[in-house]
Amino acid sequence: MAVQSIDGYITFHDGLGTASWASREDAEHFRATMATCDCSVFGSATYDVDRVPITSSIASQRLRVVLTRRPEAYAEDAVPGALEFSDAPPAEVIAGLVERGYERCALLGGGRVNTLFLAADLVDELVITLEPRIFGAGTRLVDGPCDLAWELVLDQALNESTRLLRYRRAARR
Ligand SMILES: NC(=O)c1ccc[n+]([C@@H]2O[C@H](COP(=O)([O-])OP(=O)(O)OC[C@H]3O[C@@H](n4cnc5c(N)ncnc54)[C@H](OP(=O)(O)O)[C@@H]3O)[C@@H](O)[C@H]2O)c1
């Protein structure tokens, strides 16, 4: 799940969070969609940007897994079952979540972690908010080559200029 500019960037020039440029309607959609998930996965660079809101909203009913090659660097922030740091490959992360009974995981970026999961074909659904902005530079939704086909299952207006696009993975070729 991501919010992006028309030209495919998920960050504005400041590299900070989306609050300065994503719409209120996207924030509402994000909260509503997250309420349907029991866990999420994202990269350490995303965690570093959003550390304060994340650590101040620890909830054991929704596990957050941060991917990092340096879990020890984040040991002080870890709360087992709520905020965990993992250096496992994506397929192992997902297998571990399934084994623990988690059913619906939101992949929350950023571009590098999205690429790891997409390259391993571990994503069932894309939920993309398209904001009416062009940035010309920044972090891309996906930052490496991959070739996966998708079927559009929802194209909804969130406001007069913001669209919500939902795709599911097309049958494997
Ligand atoms: N618009 C949106 O919807 C949205 C969503 C999410 C994020 N963002 C933005 O995206 C930006 C971050 O994106 P990003 O692409 O730079 O970073 P990212 O994907 O969030 O995290 C990348 C980091 O993950 C760690 N990592 C773990 N396993 C790895 C592996 N196998 N290979 C490589 N790295 C691995 C590395 O840090 P270690 O050194 O810790 O290993 C790497 O630097 C932030 O500005 C954030 O605000 C936007």
Side-chain angles (χ1 to χ4, degrees), residues 1-4 9-11 15-18 21 42-47 49-50 67-70 74 86 90 108-114 116 139-140 143:
M1 177 159 56
V3 54
Q4 68 165 61
Y9 292 103
I10 60 169
T11 56
L16 299 178
T18 58
W21 58 274
F42 46 95
S44 66
T46 296
Y47 177 74
V49 169
D50 286 331
L67 287 202
T68 173
R69 294 159 298 186
R70 306 166 292 123
Y74 295 95
S86 173
L108 298 179
R112 278 174 284 175
V113 162
N114 286 343
L116 291 176
T139 302
R140 288 207 167 271
D143 81 347

Side-chain angles (χ1 to χ4, degrees), residues 47-158:
Y47 177 74
D48 292 342
V49 169
D50 286 331
R51 181 175 177 275
V52 171
I54 290 170
T55 52
S56 58
S57 62
I58 295 287
S60 56
Q61 68 274 22
R62 195 179 311 145
L63 171 65
R64 289 149 156 153
V65 180
V66 179
L67 287 202
T68 173
R69 294 159 298 186
R70 306 166 292 123
E72 63 290 347
Y74 295 95
E76 281 190 6
D77 288 1
V79 181
L83 177 60
E84 300 180 357
F85 296 84
S86 173
D87 59 1
E92 273 181 36
V93 172
I94 298 297
L97 291 171
V98 170
E99 200 171 302
R100 293 164 69 184
Y102 291 98
E103 294 182 342
R104 186 163 160 81
C105 182
L107 176 64
L108 298 179
R112 278 174 284 175
V113 162
N114 286 343
T115 306
L116 291 176
F117 279 76
L118 286 163
D121 201 0
L122 288 168
V123 180
D124 301 315
E125 202 177 350
L126 301 179
V127 182
I128 307 290
T129 301
L130 204 55
E131 294 289 1
R133 305 286 293 263
I134 290 186
F135 295 151
T139 302
R140 288 207 167 271
L141 175 70
V142 182
D143 81 347
C146 58
D147 178 17
L148 301 172
W150 301 87
E151 288 168 0
L152 183 67
V153 293
L154 179 78
D155 178 354
Q156 178 189 335
L158 286 186

